[in-house]
Every structure is written in C-alpha cells, then in structure tokens.
Amino acid sequence: MTGMSKYLGVAIGVIVIAGLIVVPMNFNRYGLFILSQWAVMTIAAMGLNLTLGYAGQVSLAQGAFVGIGAYAAAIMTTQGLPLIAALGVAIVLCFAIGWVLGYPALRVQHHYLAFVTLAFSTLAFLVFRNEDWLTKGIYGISNIPRPNIFGFATNRPLPFYYVCLSSLGIVSVAVVADTFALGPRLCGAARKSGPGTFARHRYPALHIDGFCDWFGAGRRGRHALCAADPIY
C-alpha cells in the first residue's frame, strides 16, 4: 500500500465515522432503530468472520449464541440487576455453553461442523420460542430497562444508538488487535490441522468469536423487546 492510498483510506474512515455520529441526529425513531440493529448485527458478523473467515470453520450457531446472550441480559435486567452484572452473566453463560458444544463439535470439519451447529441453533430457537416460563414465548420479554452509563441516560433512541455505535467501535478495535496478534498463527493452524489435532487451535478463535457474540447480544438485550425470530 502506497503512502497516498494509506492516507486516503484513513480520510475515508474518518469521514464515515463522522457521518455515523452526525447524520443520525436528523433521523426519526425508526431510522435510529435500524442503525442500532445494524451496529449490533455487525458485532455478531465480526465474530462470524473470525470463525469462518480466519479459522475456516463453517459454524451456523452464531444466531443461537446471540440469542442466548440477549435473553440472559433481558432476563437479568428485568429482574433488577445492573447492566454490568447482566453482561457478566451473559459472558459466563455463552462461554460455558460454547465450551460444552465446542468439545464434540470441534472434532469434525466442514459440513459436519455445520450440521452440528445447525442442530444447536434449531434447539436454541425452539427453547426461545416455546419455553414461556423463561422467555415469554412468542410474545418476548418486554419493558427492558435502558441503562444509565456514567449518569448518561439512554432511554431515548439517539443516546441508545450512540451506545450501540460505541460498542461496535470497542469491539472493532479489539478484534483488529487480536487478529493482528493471534490471527496468522492460530487461525492458520486451525485451517491446516486435521480433526484429531486442530481442536486446540480452534478454541482461541472461537473464544474471540464468543466475545463478539455476548457483547453484541448484550446490546440486543437492551432493546425494548427481546423476542425469538428465526435465527438461521
């Protein structure tokens, strides 16, 4: 990359970031809702890119883990727990379930891994949709309180959008840093190893993927309604 193209890329990035901050000030509630959803889903897509793009593993469980984190955050906050505690529960829950699922799933490759993760996504969707005592079924969990961050209320659409956008920025920086530090070594090993030996190489990539899932899910669980839509 030449010096001119590098500066051009930086300039375009600054313009895009400034636009994402300034332009939505003139949007209505629906436009801000769409942008907030975009920020949350981009976080989840970044996690999927680590698993599929860098590690080369076809995983279809992304929506399931986002749903687990979202419902965990929604349930905890509606019971009066603060945001930090709800995110802590989402972290532990997604990590634990991912570890249990990953132990057998990482012994297979390619379309077999896709089958395993697709089955898990289907199971998660059925639980979200049918277990009314936990997830309120088809009606979803409503009246989810919005957080106050350092005294900054986010109950209006624009401040909440800025929370989602800030979360996207934090995760983007973390993923880029981890990719440069660990990606070439760990993700390359995950691509080249066989089913019997590459499980230990996949775990770091999947753990970073899980970080993106629960981080994005925590923001999705802060919307006014958390309901189960088809996730695959």
Side-chain angles (χ1 to χ4, degrees), residues 1-10:
M1 178 181 295
T2 64
M4 182 62 68
S5 59
K6 180 179 180 180
Y7 289 128
L8 179 61
V10 172

Side-chain angles (χ1 to χ4, degrees), residues 138-161:
I138 60 174
Y139 300 104
I141 301 174
S142 58
N143 299 320
I144 302 172
R146 296 283 176 83
N148 287 327
I149 302 176
F150 301 113
F152 182 70
T154 62
N155 55 339
R156 297 181 63 82
L158 185 60
F160 185 72
Y161 161 70

